[in-house]
Amino acid sequence: MAKTVSFLLVDDDADDTSLFKEVLEEVNPSVVFNSAEDGHQALHYLKKDGGTLPDIIFLDLNMPRMSGKECLTEIKRDEKLHDIPVIMYTTSSQSKDIEETMQKGAICFITKPTNLNDLKSILSSISGNVHSNLQKTLRVLSDTANTFIVC
Amino acid sequence: MILIVDDKQENLFSLKALLQLNLYDADTADSGEVALKKILRNEYELIILDVQMPGIDGYEVAEIITGYSKSKDIPIIFLSAVNIDKRFIAKGYTSGGVDYVTKPFDPDLLLLKIKTFSKLYRQTKELNDIKDNLEQKVEERTAELKQLNIHLEASNSQLQQYAFIASHDLQEPLRKIVTFTRILKERFSEKVPEANEYMSRIIASSERMRTLISDLLDYSRIEMDRKFVLADLNKIVSQSLTDLEIIISEKNAEVVVEQLCPIEAIPEQMAQVFQNLISNALKFSKQDVTPVLRISAELIKEKTIESKLSANGKYCRIKVTDNGIGFDEIYLDKIFGMFQRLHSKAEYSGTGIGLSITKKIIENHSGLISANSKENEGSAFIIILPVKQATT
């Protein structure tokens, strides 16, 4: 049996978080889902002793207290965390944000889709490929999805 | 007031009496030192100066007086009984005197001289006061304008920040309107078919607003970015053509791109310029005619739309011409304005921001943009850009 996949979504937007969870559970009911409301909460969760680490992190950019960029820097700085793939998940589609976060070590930059089907296909391909070549899968997806995906 | 300087009390007395008799205010000093002190303290319109005095003599007093900025314009009349030789008189003039009167003098003539010189002094002083006043006013105004300008620049950049933040934050709720309406449509439109059409309209309107906001965002961002590099315009144009591939093949358009001059530019912004101009040309193409676009460039002598060609010119003229529906040139000023459209939304889609973004980008590059067109005869958009950006 395949290993269960665990997702961490870091986003202060409750609507987006519930939608994300709903879609994720629909496309892959076996996925373990956790969420944090900002960078601080996320880091606290990730650095807590004895906790299992997520297989993938979705990170919003614009959050109170600690922004996505700051949180990304912290994750990449931490020996225990820096191998977890981080996908930026945000409203922005600015080249400045994309360049900066990719440089800091994010593997992909996804603009939050307005179409549920896009979110479905994104989450189902990710949850099925977390341990294989994720970037490649998402790149293929970026050609067909209506939303903005850079890998 | 007139100052009389003489070391002999009887001379002071008689001259003072003469002046007072003729209604002049007169003051006296019995040495050069006293005179200098008084000049620093008081305002005089004329000085009558004895040449030969113990201590500082008249010439020295005159030189010192003309050296002070406060007293340099006060006319000095030398009065001497002893030094009447031509060389003394000459020295009097070179040390700063306006006249040199020898004793014995004719009181009437002296009075006339006094009258003339003090009148001249008053007029000069008045003129100088007016000049100083004017200079001060100009300085004040300049300072005020500078202050205003600083203020204006600050509020301008603040406004841009606001526009940027506002349009960014506006996208967030709008995205949710679209997302949730889509969910509604997907899950309930079968149960409530009448609602389907309304939900489609909500989505279409929201999508249109998203385009508007993202265009505004682009517009407000133009001046924030000022990273100029030597840009290969051909590469930029071919990237824009790739981005527009679908519409180009849909319209079956023919695009001819000539050799373009490399210039110092912000590549992303120039890409947006070409994208806007090419997609406009395609959008406003004639229905039954194959759209033909031509993009060309040439080096020109000066920064004018009509400038002559010049092989080593400092400016580059880029033309994007099409055989589309064109427009009446009376609207030329209008088309580059924000939210300006010449057609209804039903005829041609668009936010009316594209060309104003284009214009702002060109201005951000210190360039010019204009167009030539006639209704039904295609358009040519002309851009003038400096080959090198001025270093600031």
Side-chain angles (χ1 to χ4, degrees), chain B residues 8-32:
Chain B
K8 293 190 183 70
Q9 284 299 331
E10 61 271 28
N11 288 350
L12 286 178
F13 181 78
S14 63
L15 209 51
K16 190 176 179 184
L18 174 72
L19 289 177
Q20 281 174 339
L21 202 65
N22 287 279
L23 304 173
Y24 284 103
D25 268 347
D27 194 2
T28 58
D30 60 3
S31 72

mmCIF file of all heavy atoms in Angstrom, chain B residues 8-32:
data_model
loop_
_atom_site.group_PDB
_atom_site.id
_atom_site.type_symbol
_atom_site.label_atom_id
_atom_site.label_comp_id
_atom_site.label_asym_id
_atom_site.label_seq_id
_atom_site.Cartn_x
_atom_site.Cartn_y
_atom_site.Cartn_z
ATOM 1 N N LYS B 8 38.482 120.136 11.714
ATOM 2 C CA LYS B 8 38.416 121.499 12.265
ATOM 3 C C LYS B 8 36.973 121.832 12.618
ATOM 4 O O LYS B 8 36.083 121.827 11.773
ATOM 5 C CB LYS B 8 38.954 122.501 11.243
ATOM 6 C CG LYS B 8 40.447 122.309 11.017
ATOM 7 C CD LYS B 8 41.023 123.449 10.197
ATOM 8 C CE LYS B 8 42.487 123.239 9.908
ATOM 9 N NZ LYS B 8 42.715 122.103 8.944
ATOM 10 N N GLN B 9 36.793 122.134 13.927
ATOM 11 C CA GLN B 9 35.455 122.409 14.443
ATOM 12 C C GLN B 9 34.778 123.553 13.703
ATOM 13 O O GLN B 9 33.583 123.495 13.413
ATOM 14 C CB GLN B 9 35.527 122.740 15.946
ATOM 15 C CG GLN B 9 35.727 121.515 16.822
ATOM 16 C CD GLN B 9 34.589 120.496 16.702
ATOM 17 O OE1 GLN B 9 33.445 120.856 16.431
ATOM 18 N NE2 GLN B 9 34.933 119.219 16.891
ATOM 19 N N GLU B 10 35.568 124.593 13.323
ATOM 20 C CA GLU B 10 34.925 125.751 12.693
ATOM 21 C C GLU B 10 34.368 125.393 11.306
ATOM 22 O O GLU B 10 33.300 125.854 10.908
ATOM 23 C CB GLU B 10 35.902 126.960 12.589
ATOM 24 C CG GLU B 10 37.154 126.732 11.771
ATOM 25 C CD GLU B 10 38.334 126.180 12.585
ATOM 26 O OE1 GLU B 10 38.064 125.491 13.610
ATOM 27 O OE2 GLU B 10 39.483 126.417 12.202
ATOM 28 N N ASN B 11 35.097 124.506 10.596
ATOM 29 C CA ASN B 11 34.593 124.046 9.298
ATOM 30 C C ASN B 11 33.306 123.251 9.460
ATOM 31 O O ASN B 11 32.348 123.447 8.716
ATOM 32 C CB ASN B 11 35.618 123.163 8.600
ATOM 33 C CG ASN B 11 36.799 123.972 8.076
ATOM 34 O OD1 ASN B 11 36.759 125.208 8.081
ATOM 35 N ND2 ASN B 11 37.835 123.276 7.657
ATOM 36 N N LEU B 12 33.327 122.342 10.434
ATOM 37 C CA LEU B 12 32.137 121.542 10.704
ATOM 38 C C LEU B 12 30.951 122.434 10.984
ATOM 39 O O LEU B 12 29.862 122.267 10.447
ATOM 40 C CB LEU B 12 32.367 120.625 11.927
ATOM 41 C CG LEU B 12 33.276 119.409 11.738
ATOM 42 C CD1 LEU B 12 33.417 118.675 13.068
ATOM 43 C CD2 LEU B 12 32.716 118.484 10.675
ATOM 44 N N PHE B 13 31.208 123.403 11.838
ATOM 45 C CA PHE B 13 30.147 124.300 12.280
ATOM 46 C C PHE B 13 29.547 125.092 11.118
ATOM 47 O O PHE B 13 28.336 125.109 10.915
ATOM 48 C CB PHE B 13 30.696 125.239 13.347
ATOM 49 C CG PHE B 13 29.675 126.191 13.879
ATOM 50 C CD1 PHE B 13 28.727 125.736 14.814
ATOM 51 C CD2 PHE B 13 29.619 127.520 13.437
ATOM 52 C CE1 PHE B 13 27.772 126.591 15.287
ATOM 53 C CE2 PHE B 13 28.645 128.375 13.911
ATOM 54 C CZ PHE B 13 27.709 127.921 14.846
ATOM 55 N N SER B 14 30.433 125.673 10.272
ATOM 56 C CA SER B 14 29.915 126.533 9.208
ATOM 57 C C SER B 14 29.163 125.709 8.146
ATOM 58 O O SER B 14 28.102 126.100 7.659
ATOM 59 C CB SER B 14 31.051 127.331 8.558
ATOM 60 O OG SER B 14 31.959 126.435 7.951
ATOM 61 N N LEU B 15 29.711 124.511 7.829
ATOM 62 C CA LEU B 15 29.065 123.692 6.816
ATOM 63 C C LEU B 15 27.710 123.151 7.311
ATOM 64 O O LEU B 15 26.728 123.136 6.570
ATOM 65 C CB LEU B 15 29.997 122.532 6.442
ATOM 66 C CG LEU B 15 29.879 121.972 5.041
ATOM 67 C CD1 LEU B 15 29.954 123.089 3.993
ATOM 68 C CD2 LEU B 15 30.980 120.961 4.774
ATOM 69 N N LYS B 16 27.701 122.737 8.573
ATOM 70 C CA LYS B 16 26.452 122.238 9.161
ATOM 71 C C LYS B 16 25.383 123.333 9.125
ATOM 72 O O LYS B 16 24.230 123.062 8.769
ATOM 73 C CB LYS B 16 26.702 121.785 10.606
ATOM 74 C CG LYS B 16 25.517 121.043 11.207
ATOM 75 C CD LYS B 16 25.839 120.536 12.595
ATOM 76 C CE LYS B 16 24.616 119.816 13.160
ATOM 77 N NZ LYS B 16 24.827 119.390 14.530
ATOM 78 N N ALA B 17 25.820 124.578 9.482
ATOM 79 C CA ALA B 17 24.886 125.700 9.479
ATOM 80 C C ALA B 17 24.343 125.939 8.071
ATOM 81 O O ALA B 17 23.130 126.130 7.876
ATOM 82 C CB ALA B 17 25.584 126.953 9.994
ATOM 83 N N LEU B 18 25.237 125.863 7.076
ATOM 84 C CA LEU B 18 24.824 126.067 5.689
ATOM 85 C C LEU B 18 23.778 125.029 5.258
ATOM 86 O O LEU B 18 22.753 125.353 4.652
ATOM 87 C CB LEU B 18 26.050 125.997 4.766
ATOM 88 C CG LEU B 18 25.768 126.061 3.263
ATOM 89 C CD1 LEU B 18 25.351 127.477 2.847
ATOM 90 C CD2 LEU B 18 26.969 125.625 2.453
ATOM 91 N N LEU B 19 24.048 123.771 5.595
ATOM 92 C CA LEU B 19 23.127 122.695 5.198
ATOM 93 C C LEU B 19 21.798 122.828 5.910
ATOM 94 O O LEU B 19 20.730 122.706 5.310
ATOM 95 C CB LEU B 19 23.738 121.326 5.505
ATOM 96 C CG LEU B 19 24.908 120.915 4.621
ATOM 97 C CD1 LEU B 19 25.470 119.576 5.070
ATOM 98 C CD2 LEU B 19 24.488 120.835 3.164
ATOM 99 N N GLN B 20 21.855 123.116 7.208
ATOM 100 C CA GLN B 20 20.614 123.215 7.970
ATOM 101 C C GLN B 20 19.766 124.382 7.490
ATOM 102 O O GLN B 20 18.548 124.292 7.451
ATOM 103 C CB GLN B 20 20.916 123.322 9.458
ATOM 104 C CG GLN B 20 21.241 121.959 10.037
ATOM 105 C CD GLN B 20 21.695 122.026 11.489
ATOM 106 O OE1 GLN B 20 22.148 123.085 11.964
ATOM 107 N NE2 GLN B 20 21.618 120.902 12.182
ATOM 108 N N LEU B 21 20.476 125.425 7.103
ATOM 109 C CA LEU B 21 19.783 126.592 6.561
ATOM 110 C C LEU B 21 19.008 126.210 5.300
ATOM 111 O O LEU B 21 17.957 126.750 5.000
ATOM 112 C CB LEU B 21 20.833 127.670 6.233
ATOM 113 C CG LEU B 21 20.344 129.114 6.146
ATOM 114 C CD1 LEU B 21 19.832 129.591 7.508
ATOM 115 C CD2 LEU B 21 21.482 130.017 5.687
ATOM 116 N N ASN B 22 19.552 125.243 4.574
ATOM 117 C CA ASN B 22 18.879 124.769 3.346
ATOM 118 C C ASN B 22 18.057 123.495 3.567
ATOM 119 O O ASN B 22 17.839 122.701 2.652
ATOM 120 C CB ASN B 22 19.904 124.552 2.242
ATOM 121 C CG ASN B 22 20.413 125.894 1.710
ATOM 122 O OD1 ASN B 22 19.769 126.532 0.891
ATOM 123 N ND2 ASN B 22 21.551 126.329 2.251
ATOM 124 N N LEU B 23 17.690 123.318 4.838
ATOM 125 C CA LEU B 23 16.771 122.259 5.220
ATOM 126 C C LEU B 23 17.298 120.828 5.057
ATOM 127 O O LEU B 23 16.545 119.901 4.821
ATOM 128 C CB LEU B 23 15.428 122.400 4.478
ATOM 129 C CG LEU B 23 14.741 123.759 4.660
ATOM 130 C CD1 LEU B 23 13.525 123.856 3.761
ATOM 131 C CD2 LEU B 23 14.375 124.014 6.109
ATOM 132 N N TYR B 24 18.615 120.692 5.124
ATOM 133 C CA TYR B 24 19.169 119.341 5.135
ATOM 134 C C TYR B 24 19.445 118.929 6.568
ATOM 135 O O TYR B 24 19.865 119.741 7.375
ATOM 136 C CB TYR B 24 20.502 119.271 4.358
ATOM 137 C CG TYR B 24 20.305 119.286 2.859
ATOM 138 C CD1 TYR B 24 20.545 120.451 2.130
ATOM 139 C CD2 TYR B 24 19.899 118.122 2.186
ATOM 140 C CE1 TYR B 24 20.379 120.466 0.753
ATOM 141 C CE2 TYR B 24 19.734 118.159 0.822
ATOM 142 C CZ TYR B 24 19.970 119.321 0.100
ATOM 143 O OH TYR B 24 19.806 119.341 -1.242
ATOM 144 N N ASP B 25 19.251 117.651 6.881
ATOM 145 C CA ASP B 25 19.700 117.095 8.154
ATOM 146 C C ASP B 25 21.184 116.901 8.060
ATOM 147 O O ASP B 25 21.664 116.315 7.094
ATOM 148 C CB ASP B 25 19.053 115.717 8.380
ATOM 149 C CG ASP B 25 17.755 115.852 9.148
ATOM 150 O OD1 ASP B 25 17.521 116.948 9.700
ATOM 151 O OD2 ASP B 25 17.002 114.860 9.171
ATOM 152 N N ALA B 26 21.927 117.333 9.032
ATOM 153 C CA ALA B 26 23.371 117.168 8.948
ATOM 154 C C ALA B 26 23.927 116.617 10.235
ATOM 155 O O ALA B 26 23.430 116.882 11.320
ATOM 156 C CB ALA B 26 24.024 118.500 8.619
ATOM 157 N N ASP B 27 24.960 115.798 10.083
ATOM 158 C CA ASP B 27 25.629 115.198 11.232
ATOM 159 C C ASP B 27 27.113 115.477 11.028
ATOM 160 O O ASP B 27 27.563 115.660 9.897
ATOM 161 C CB ASP B 27 25.353 113.697 11.241
ATOM 162 C CG ASP B 27 25.742 113.081 12.584
ATOM 163 O OD1 ASP B 27 26.172 113.818 13.491
ATOM 164 O OD2 ASP B 27 25.612 111.837 12.705
ATOM 165 N N THR B 28 27.879 115.445 12.106
ATOM 166 C CA THR B 28 29.299 115.763 11.942
ATOM 167 C C THR B 28 30.177 114.703 12.593
ATOM 168 O O THR B 28 29.753 113.985 13.496
ATOM 169 C CB THR B 28 29.636 117.117 12.602
ATOM 170 O OG1 THR B 28 29.272 117.025 13.983
ATOM 171 C CG2 THR B 28 28.903 118.250 11.939
ATOM 172 N N ALA B 29 31.431 114.624 12.064
ATOM 173 C CA ALA B 29 32.436 113.757 12.672
ATOM 174 C C ALA B 29 33.756 114.491 12.584
ATOM 175 O O ALA B 29 34.091 115.029 11.530
ATOM 176 C CB ALA B 29 32.512 112.438 11.925
ATOM 177 N N ASP B 30 34.530 114.521 13.684
ATOM 178 C CA ASP B 30 35.746 115.324 13.664
ATOM 179 C C ASP B 30 36.999 114.500 13.362
ATOM 180 O O ASP B 30 38.112 114.994 13.461
ATOM 181 C CB ASP B 30 35.897 116.147 14.961
ATOM 182 C CG ASP B 30 35.966 115.260 16.183
ATOM 183 O OD1 ASP B 30 35.945 114.008 16.014
ATOM 184 O OD2 ASP B 30 36.004 115.789 17.304
ATOM 185 N N SER B 31 36.820 113.237 12.993
ATOM 186 C CA SER B 31 37.974 112.441 12.559
ATOM 187 C C SER B 31 37.473 111.287 11.683
ATOM 188 O O SER B 31 36.277 110.973 11.683
ATOM 189 C CB SER B 31 38.706 111.874 13.775
ATOM 190 O OG SER B 31 37.924 110.842 14.348
ATOM 191 N N GLY B 32 38.409 110.686 10.952
ATOM 192 C CA GLY B 32 38.066 109.525 10.126
ATOM 193 C C GLY B 32 37.468 108.406 10.954
ATOM 194 O O GLY B 32 36.463 107.787 10.572
#
